[in-house]
Amino acid sequence: MTQHLPEAHPQHPVLSVSGACKRFGSVVALDNVSIDVHRGEILALLGDNGAGKSTLIKCISGVHRLDAGDVVIDGAANVLRSPADARLAGIETVYQDLALFDNLTPAQNFFAGREIAGPRWFPRAMRFLNKRKMDEQTRSLIQSLNVSLPHLDAVVALMSGGQRQAIAVARSAVFARKVVILDEPTAALGQRESRKVLDLIGALRDRGNAIILITHNMEHVTELACRAVVLRQGRRVGELVPTRDNKQELVSMIVGA
Amino acid sequence: MTGMDESLEREVAEPRSAAVANSENIAVAVGLKLLGAGAVLILIGLVLVLSLLSPYFLSPRNLGNILAQTAVVCVVAMGQHLVILTKGIDLSVGSNLALASVLGALSFHAGASTLTVVAVMVVAGAAVGAVNGLFYVYGRLPHPFIITLATLSIAKGIALQLADGRAIPGMPPAIRSLGQEAFAGLPGSVFVVAGVAGLMFVLTQSTVWGRWVYAVGGKADAAVRMGIPVSAVLVSTYVISGTCAGIGAVLLAGRTDAGSPLFGNLLELDTIAAVIIGGASFLGGRGHIGHALIGAIMIGVIRNALNLLNVGVFYQLIVIGVVIVIAVEADVLRNHLESRMRVLRAETGP
């Protein structure tokens, strides 16, 4: 089956959503939306506020369930009942609010909910933490992603906005095996800090992940994304290969002018 | 990004000289360190001053008294500390302890063995804790304040009803000697406190569950998204808090050789005060078992000192209240210094 040899079939999308529908009461948040992403590709998901981007990624990351439509991961249909299901399926999400624990260190944040612990025959909650191993893995990951975190033993509350964003993105890198979804990863950052996060996203892609990037920054879209899909009022209204020249076209697709 | 942007940013950051920023950085760091160790320093200072004021204070007998009197607050405060770590509160601990002691006394008079009497008290405590946790989580209550306030009233009412409003004298000899006698020069209850503290320390600092407690206290919705079983973690903290109240009941019943519906009055105040005075954050997610212990001992020392200095009982309540305000303000100051630290680090860079 393809899910065992994903690299051997690069032409198959690693994640394929088809016919996605989702309503909240009488509001139609998603109306028959389909997207595909491949390994090593960055897909920009664009749209105005309320276009359905957030609903779509929440359905892919297991926070909401689709009313209709399929999520196919590596050729196998999946029902994502919870965020834990999505993570098990190899989908990592970097939320807009970062979902970081301010009172924990970067290493503790990385492994929150997926602690390395033993012995295995203990019930999971009662296992003893392998702190050294988690610290080691954190250090080597931070090095390999070229993130500068001077105070690895300090709690995240003490770190700057860019460092926090980097930690959230790096956390997804620890476990991402297939898809990483990023919701406005640079919205709250200055130019220099944005640059670092964009490099990090590139590194995640180079590791063979498929990336779904939500952003309002057209510069970042043209620089990074292979394709851009535009949503408007819950519908998919178009797809483009973003370049410097068709930026205007993309913007008018977003606002519907 | 262009080179111009970068130099612009640097110009904005640099008017204050690096030395000034650095010295402020150090000052903030020292302030945070002092606040972190504040409770211990104050406790040491308190002991020094008191030993000068009253020659009796440091006598082994008085110290033994303080430990014996503080033991109940210590044990129950450790449970309270877990609940406060998850941004919760358990107001029912005092009534819970009273009910457990009454059930223990009744079971003793019904002919139960020593072990059964202990089990009855501990399980009764855990059961009230389970009610708190289950209603808070699955009853979808916005805050544990309400349900633990309700069980405060309910447990008290049941205890008064069962005991007909009076203390029930009589406890098994083993429980009595645990509460009254000294072993190797230390009150028996001190060993119970040490045992509970050791177990709690391992559970909170070394197990996956302990890490989850901190994560839930740090940011509950993020914990859900990270796949942590938040509901179960919350319920478990209330069950443990109730269990600690049950263990407290064993100690207090042993010391007084009775079960009484009047036990544990204002124990919720003492335990919450102990956790906060000790230096854990009321905002959740921060603190450890040592904070609960140091806070409880500090309250015991203050009470004892005011007694030795012949200060009236009513003033004790006022002093404890003032200390709580100081401790909470210290927590606020710590949060302020931390955000200052964050800004400084962002300015000076890595």
Side-chain angles (χ1 to χ4, degrees):
Chain A
M1 282 302 296
T2 43
Q3 67 255 46
H4 296 302
L5 289 165
E7 318 276 11
H9 301 272
Q11 71 273 30
H12 290 299
V14 64
L15 171 76
S16 167
V17 180
S18 54
C21 295
K22 178 78 187 172
R23 350 174 27 126
F24 297 102
S26 61
V27 180
V28 180
L30 290 178
D31 182 5
N32 197 20
V33 172
S34 303
I35 57 167
D36 290 333
V37 238
H38 299 79
R39 283 186 179 275
E41 168 187 68
I42 295 180
L43 173 75
L45 192 56
L46 306 176
D48 217 342
N49 291 333
K53 300 165 298 185
S54 286
T55 307
L56 180 59
I57 64 150
K58 278 181 179 159
C59 290
I60 301 172
S61 58
V63 175
H64 295 322
R65 283 184 73 173
L66 287 173
D67 295 336
D70 296 309
V71 178
V72 177
I73 299 162
D74 263 342
N78 263 273
V79 183
L80 304 171
R81 284 185 198 83
S82 68
D85 276 2
R87 290 178 108 189
L88 266 180
I91 299 172
E92 285 293 317
T93 308
V94 179
Y95 296 94
Q96 202 169 355
D97 72 350
L98 302 185
L100 286 180
F101 304 99
D102 273 348
N103 56 333
L104 302 182
T105 65
Q108 291 168 344
N109 265 286
F110 281 171
F111 288 95
R114 284 181 291 209
E115 295 80 4
I116 301 178
R120 298 213 121 194
W121 51 274
F122 271 37
R124 188 150 141 57
M126 283 300 109
R127 288 181 198 160
F128 289 96
L129 297 165
N130 190 339
K131 292 177 190 168
R132 202 193 314 158
K133 199 162 178 188
M134 290 191 276
D135 284 348
E136 264 169 28
Q137 291 196 11
T138 304
R139 223 169 290 126
S140 72
L141 177 91
I142 295 237
Q143 229 160 37
S144 75
L145 287 176
N146 208 8
V147 179
S148 65
L149 288 178
H151 307 280
L152 259 185
D153 53 343
V155 295
V156 169
L158 292 174
M159 303 194 177
S160 72
Q163 287 171 336
R164 293 157 62 83
Q165 190 78 49
I167 291 166
V169 177
R171 174 171 62 185
S172 71
V174 182
F175 300 99
R177 299 189 318 280
K178 291 170 185 171
V179 181
V180 181
I181 302 168
L182 300 118
D183 191 357
E184 306 245 14
T186 56
L189 301 183
Q191 292 240 26
R192 190 171 9 173
E193 294 189 313
S194 291
R195 182 75 260 150
K196 284 184 182 158
V197 170
L198 294 180
D199 291 345
L200 207 48
I201 295 170
L204 279 181
R205 172 198 55 202
D206 296 342
R207 291 165 153 234
N209 292 296
I211 312 274
I212 300 175
L213 175 67
I214 294 184
T215 180
H216 283 123
N217 188 319
M218 288 302 145
E219 298 288 336
H220 298 168
V221 172
T222 47
E223 180 193 327
L224 277 175
C226 312
R227 290 183 295 134
V229 168
V230 180
L231 300 184
R232 194 166 70 234
Q233 289 167 352
R235 288 203 195 89
R236 179 183 161 130
V237 292
E239 176 177 332
L240 274 179
V241 174
T243 60
R244 295 212 168 275
D245 306 322
N246 62 14
K247 212 189 288 176
Q248 203 47 50
E249 198 179 335
L250 217 45
V251 171
S252 50
M253 223 187 256
I254 291 169
V255 297
Chain B
M1 182 168 73
T2 64
M4 208 181 78
D5 289 321
E6 201 158 17
S7 62
L8 251 174
E9 268 190 59
R10 209 174 286 137
E11 267 175 31
V12 175
E14 266 182 357
R16 299 190 318 134
S17 78
V20 172
N22 206 31
S23 66
E24 187 179 352
N25 209 336
I26 291 167
V28 171
V30 168
L32 278 172
K33 279 257 154 37
L34 273 178
L35 278 174
V40 180
L41 294 178
I42 291 171
L43 184 57
I44 292 172
L46 210 54
V47 168
L48 285 177
V49 171
L50 289 172
S51 60
L52 292 176
L53 284 178
S54 167
Y56 182 68
F57 178 76
L58 276 184
S59 69
R61 198 191 150 99
N62 188 48
L63 290 181
N65 262 342
I66 294 178
L67 287 178
Q69 284 164 3
T70 314
V72 173
V73 178
C74 278
V75 170
V76 182
M78 285 191 273
Q80 185 76 258
H81 152 262
L82 270 183
V83 169
I84 288 179
L85 264 185
T86 63
K87 285 197 170 89
I89 196 164
D90 187 349
L91 298 176
S92 69
V93 285
S95 303
N96 190 353
L97 182 148
L99 176 59
S101 77
V102 166
L103 289 173
L106 289 176
S107 63
F108 173 60
H109 288 296
S113 68
T114 304
L115 264 184
T116 314
V117 173
V118 171
V120 163
M121 291 197 257
V122 174
V123 171
V128 173
V131 170
N132 285 335
L134 290 171
F135 269 93
Y136 168 42
V137 172
Y138 296 102
R140 295 171 183 273
L141 299 176
H143 196 275
F145 187 93
I146 301 299
I147 180 62
T148 59
L149 185 64
T151 49
L152 177 154
S153 180
I154 293 168
K156 193 86 179 177
I158 297 175
L160 283 164
Q161 185 65 37
L162 285 175
D164 205 14
R166 288 186 300 268
I168 305 171
M171 274 289 144
I175 296 181
R176 221 163 46 216
S177 60
L178 181 69
Q180 296 174 353
E181 285 169 30
F183 306 87
L186 287 168
S189 48
V190 169
F191 295 97
V192 176
V193 172
V196 173
L199 188 64
M200 286 273 222
F201 182 80
V202 172
L203 282 175
T204 53
Q205 304 303 315
S206 302
T207 69
V208 172
W209 172 82
R211 184 60 52 76
W212 288 348
V213 168
Y214 282 94
V216 170
K219 201 172 195 180
D221 60 335
V224 171
R225 282 180 273 172
M226 294 300 130
I228 293 171
V230 174
S231 300
V233 170
L234 284 173
V235 173
S236 72
T237 61
Y238 287 90
V239 171
I240 294 177
S241 176
T243 307
C244 287
I247 296 172
V250 175
L251 295 181
L252 193 54
R255 202 170 90 209
T256 56
D257 192 22
S260 168
L262 307 175
F263 280 168
N265 251 346
L266 291 184
L267 187 61
E268 66 283 349
L269 178 72
D270 273 6
T271 53
I272 295 166
V275 173
I276 302 305
I277 291 173
S281 176
F282 206 54
L283 307 169
R286 304 204 348 180
H288 53 74
I289 225 68
H291 290 135
L293 289 176
I294 287 178
I297 292 172
M298 185 133 53
I299 289 178
V301 167
I302 292 173
R303 286 243 160 88
N304 179 267
L306 296 174
N307 276 336
L308 289 183
L309 301 175
N310 282 323
V311 179
V313 178
F314 305 140
Y315 283 106
Q316 297 184 11
L317 283 171
I318 300 173
V319 171
I320 302 276
V322 170
V323 175
I324 293 175
V325 173
I326 296 172
V328 172
E329 283 301 326
D331 190 28
V332 171
L333 178 63
R334 177 170 63 187
N335 283 325
H336 171 74
L337 285 183
E338 277 188 3
S339 52
R340 187 76 208 119
M341 180 84 131
R342 189 158 60 226
V343 172
L344 284 171
R345 280 191 175 161
E347 274 179 13
T348 48

